[in-house]
Amino acid sequence: PYDVREIIARLVDDSDFQEFKPAWGSSLVCGFSEICGQPVGILGNNGALFSESALKGAQFIQLCDQRNIPLLFLHNITGFMVGTDAERGGIAKNSAKMVYAMSVARVPRLSVIIGGSYGAGNYGMCGRGFRPDFLFAWPTAEVATMSADIASNVMLELRRGKHQRVAAPQEELDAIEKSVRDQYGTQSDPYYATSRLWDDGIISPAQTRDILGMCLAIVRSTPDVDQFSPVYRM
């Protein structure tokens, strides 16, 4: 974990970033800035998305859509918060609002996976399933349903559940853990993902600003087309 504001400060012009509602939903940082002279609305993760963070994200996306400001999503997310308190707080409803706002936004959308991008958090932050105009990854990126640690714990708990009266053989549990960790470790690798065209390429962190500036210029200069076109969505 790290403060995504430190990354934003190194991407935007003059490190000038006007943050949107900084005291509310702090696990999602939203704000307005410019990259290479191009206006952009930025959403970056500072942890899992809580109910307030999801509402904040939905509001910010709608605001950028109304102002015709392109969106940039910086992924470093374990997913939406789970648990009894989160469910009672409306996480299912509010996370759906953010996903819906993102999916129907008519402005160009760019995504950069700078850390992990797991589970439904990948959807909310405009992952490949929602066809962003450009999607890049850093060499530190990981894309998966969940992390290797969580996946192995889930599978071990499921296996132990079948042996409630008799303890599961330790050799079997070790084999399951190794198999799951190996699978998730391999398939979460950014080179595994980019070789299957799950993104538009791995880019160097030092070149991210220049590449985003070029991409913003491209989407700004592309003529409007039917938003339901299978070739391009503006």
Side-chain angles (χ1 to χ4, degrees):
Y2 49 79
D3 192 340
V4 74
R5 296 178 184 86
E6 294 294 330
I7 291 179
I8 294 173
R10 287 156 178 81
L11 293 179
V12 302
D13 296 354
D14 300 322
S15 298
D16 185 13
F17 180 63
Q18 182 182 355
E19 191 166 349
F20 176 74
K21 297 186 177 181
W24 185 55
S26 59
S27 65
L28 182 65
V29 176
C30 305
F32 303 98
S33 191
E34 292 185 352
I35 296 179
C36 298
Q38 302 283 339
V40 63
I42 302 175
L43 297 91
N45 303 119
N46 262 350
L49 290 178
F50 292 82
S51 187
E52 296 82 2
S53 309
L55 280 176
K56 174 181 173 180
Q59 293 175 9
F60 181 73
I61 291 170
Q62 291 172 337
L63 193 60
C64 289
D65 196 35
Q66 293 169 2
R67 298 181 178 180
N68 196 30
I69 299 175
L71 293 164
L72 169 62
F73 297 85
L74 302 176
H75 299 228
N76 184 30
I77 182 170
T78 56
F80 289 97
M81 182 54 62
V82 298
T84 302
D85 292 340
E87 293 294 338
R88 289 175 177 172
I91 186 64
K93 175 181 67 176
N94 295 329
S95 61
K97 290 179 180 180
M98 178 176 174
V99 174
Y100 179 76
M102 176 276 302
S103 65
V104 300
R106 296 164 295 176
V107 295
R109 299 171 302 172
L110 288 69
S111 281
V112 181
I113 304 175
I114 58 180
S117 185
Y118 299 111
N122 178 265
Y123 296 154
M125 295 296 290
C126 196
R128 175 55 80 197
F130 288 92
R131 298 179 63 198
D133 295 271
F134 290 98
L135 171 61
F136 299 107
W138 281 5
T140 53
E142 291 185 4
V143 180
T145 307
M146 59 188 76
S147 67
D149 290 337
I150 296 176
S152 61
N153 289 336
V154 169
M155 295 304 296
L156 290 175
E157 289 300 320
L158 290 173
R159 193 68 185 100
R160 290 189 184 103
K162 296 182 179 180
H163 297 272
Q164 293 181 355
R165 296 183 179 179
V166 180
Q170 187 60 43
E171 296 80 5
E172 182 180 355
L173 295 178
D174 291 342
I176 291 174
E177 182 176 11
K178 183 179 185 303
S179 174
V180 173
R181 286 185 178 276
D182 289 345
Q183 178 184 358
Y184 274 76
T186 299
Q187 297 184 3
S188 298
D189 187 272
Y191 295 97
Y192 181 95
T194 198
S195 67
R196 286 154 179 80
L197 303 182
W198 294 352
D199 55 51
D200 297 321
I202 297 177
I203 61 176
S204 166
Q207 296 176 332
T208 304
R209 170 180 159 79
D210 293 336
I211 292 173
L212 289 177
M214 179 179 64
C215 291
L216 287 169
I218 291 172
V219 296
R220 277 292 187 183
S221 62
T222 302
D224 291 347
V225 296
D226 185 355
Q227 63 176 323
F228 298 107
S229 168
V231 178
Y232 188 85
R233 183 211 58 78
M234 186 64 176

